[in-house]
Amino acid sequence: MHGAHSILGLWDGLQNLLTCPVCGNYHKDPITMFSGNTVCQSCYPQECPPAGLNWRIRRIVTLFKEMKPLLEQPQPVPEGWCPKHDEPFTLLCQEDNQRICYVCQYSSLHSKHTLTKLEDPKAREASCEEENEISLPPPGHH
């Protein structure tokens, strides 16, 4: 994956790791039990043997809360990439004269349209240079 979608996937995974499975909030004074589960100190079962605070998780939660506003800002979509599907533009819709990605081609917006593959501009430039080299006569010959 690329761009926004991969960031959102990482974001969700991190959020799940830092959320208490009992209360559903970010860990507050997290305690890791012998089972490996981490819960808030207030959610820790009284019948379990005492355990100490997990200072690493506590610090990660603090850093995560500081990063959260920055990560929730809209991410710019790289040029040449579809903002809806986070995929590179690989096709041209002839009817709309619009670049689309391979996922867009299955959309009802383009279902009966003529689609052509976009050429890699670098490959196109290279082939044009080769054609020019072949088709041009050597200097001084008529």
Side-chain angles (χ1 to χ4, degrees):
M1 276 203 270
H2 185 273
H5 292 298
S6 58
I7 292 172
L8 292 176
L10 292 171
W11 174 254
D12 288 343
L14 185 57
Q15 223 168 355
N16 288 337
L17 286 172
L18 301 178
T19 301
C20 175
V22 178
C23 67
N25 295 319
Y26 291 121
H27 291 294
K28 183 173 182 188
D29 296 326
I31 295 177
T32 301
M33 302 186 297
F34 293 108
S35 65
N37 293 324
T38 303
V39 296
C40 297
Q41 187 173 24
S42 59
C43 298
Y44 187 77
Q46 298 301 319
E47 64 274 5
C48 290
L53 288 178
N54 186 326
W55 292 100
R56 287 184 180 186
I57 296 289
R58 186 178 188 181
R59 180 69 183 134
I60 292 170
V61 169
T62 302
L63 290 170
F64 181 77
K65 286 179 178 179
E66 291 173 11
M67 286 179 9
K68 188 176 179 179
L70 299 173
L71 293 174
E72 288 179 338
Q73 294 175 1
Q75 300 296 315
V77 177
E79 187 177 332
W81 285 73
C82 176
K84 290 181 184 175
H85 304 113
D86 195 33
E87 294 291 336
F89 292 129
T90 54
L91 301 165
L92 178 67
C93 174
Q94 297 292 326
E95 284 75 4
D96 296 333
N97 194 27
Q98 178 184 12
R99 296 181 308 159
I100 62 172
C101 74
Y102 79 95
V103 179
C104 290
Q105 72 181 317
Y106 301 108
S107 159
S108 60
L109 296 173
H110 303 284
S111 64
K112 296 182 181 184
H113 291 179
T114 307
L115 305 176
T116 56
K117 279 189 170 184
L118 287 174
E119 292 182 33
D120 180 7
K122 290 180 184 175
R124 189 176 183 187
E125 286 173 14
S127 68
C128 287
E129 287 173 10
E130 287 174 12
E131 286 175 17
N132 287 341
E133 289 174 9
I134 294 169
S135 63
L136 291 177
H141 288 103
H142 296 286

